[in-house]
Amino acid sequence: YDECIVILEGMLKAVPDSPEINHVAGIAFYGKKDYPSALKHFKKVTAESRFYEDAVIHASYILSEKKQNEEAIKLLHEAIKNEPQNAEFNYYLGTMYEETEAFDEAVGYLQKAVDIEQDNAKYHFRLGVVHDKSGDKEASIASMRKVIELDPGHANALNYLGYTYAELGRNLD
């Protein structure tokens, strides 16, 4: 990573605002576990770049790991303004709200991700988990059933549904 970073920093002296070089620099610093430097570079990747989604997700993950969820939420809201139909941005924003136990907001953004990509089992699963955390067992069951419909071997959804039914004393056979 060190040799790569030296080369990238040299390149950035010539073109400091290059979203592509900043993205690669962010990845290199991320790999080196220098998260403040990685974050600085990821934030320089503009919405016009093909690396924008990856940079935003990496940056929000770093912020979340640093327990800076409000800043991660702000970053994802800004990204959604740039790309409102980006399912991943909505998914990650939903998970950020889940972490802060703002379940209504989490459900809203996860549902938007599901609406954008209706056949994505990952989005349905997370939505089901958040429904469960918010106390809506029936919506959780419906989401888990959709996950299983999309991916019949999804072990986590099968397990989740089985335990939910056991907790409710339903479908025990």
Side-chain angles (χ1 to χ4, degrees):
Y1 290 114
D2 291 332
E3 290 177 29
C4 180
I5 289 169
V6 168
I7 293 167
L8 290 166
E9 286 178 335
M11 294 169 73
L12 284 167
K13 286 181 182 173
V15 281
D17 295 326
S18 167
E20 291 76 15
I21 299 171
N22 274 294
H23 178 258
V24 176
I27 296 291
F29 280 111
Y30 185 84
K32 192 176 173 182
K33 298 186 183 347
D34 179 350
Y35 300 127
S37 296
L39 189 59
K40 177 183 85 171
H41 287 287
F42 286 135
K43 286 184 172 184
K44 291 182 178 180
V45 178
T46 59
E48 298 76 34
S49 171
R50 64 186 172 126
F51 300 109
Y52 181 63
E53 179 180 294
D54 185 72
V56 168
I57 291 169
H58 269 92
S60 65
Y61 178 78
I62 291 168
L63 291 167
S64 174
E65 287 296 302
K66 293 170 61 178
K67 305 296 182 216
Q68 296 177 351
N69 290 335
E70 292 305 317
E71 191 174 340
I73 287 169
K74 181 180 173 186
L75 177 69
L76 286 161
H77 272 291
E78 184 178 313
I80 289 171
K81 282 182 190 172
N82 290 321
E83 296 182 18
Q85 293 301 308
N86 185 305
E88 283 289 289
F89 291 161
N90 283 281
Y91 171 79
Y92 280 99
L93 183 54
T95 64
M96 289 295 137
Y97 277 122
E98 177 188 0
E99 285 184 25
T100 63
E101 298 184 359
F103 298 124
D104 289 342
E105 288 86 351
V107 165
Y109 284 100
L110 291 168
Q111 185 61 58
K112 175 112 189 229
V114 163
D115 292 344
I116 295 167
E117 288 186 28
Q118 297 174 10
D119 293 336
N120 189 311
K122 175 179 85 170
Y123 299 161
H124 284 281
F125 181 79
R126 190 88 253 137
L127 179 59
V129 169
V130 174
H131 277 308
D132 184 45
K133 287 180 177 182
S134 71
D136 190 346
K137 294 284 188 192
E138 295 307 316
S140 178
I141 289 169
S143 290
M144 293 304 163
R145 288 180 134 331
K146 181 64 177 180
V147 173
I148 295 164
E149 176 187 318
L150 294 169
D151 180 2
H154 196 290
N156 288 333
L158 290 164
N159 190 53
Y160 210 103
L161 187 58
Y163 272 99
T164 302
Y165 280 145
E167 287 175 0
L168 297 173
R170 293 181 9 207
N171 299 329
L172 297 178
D173 55 324

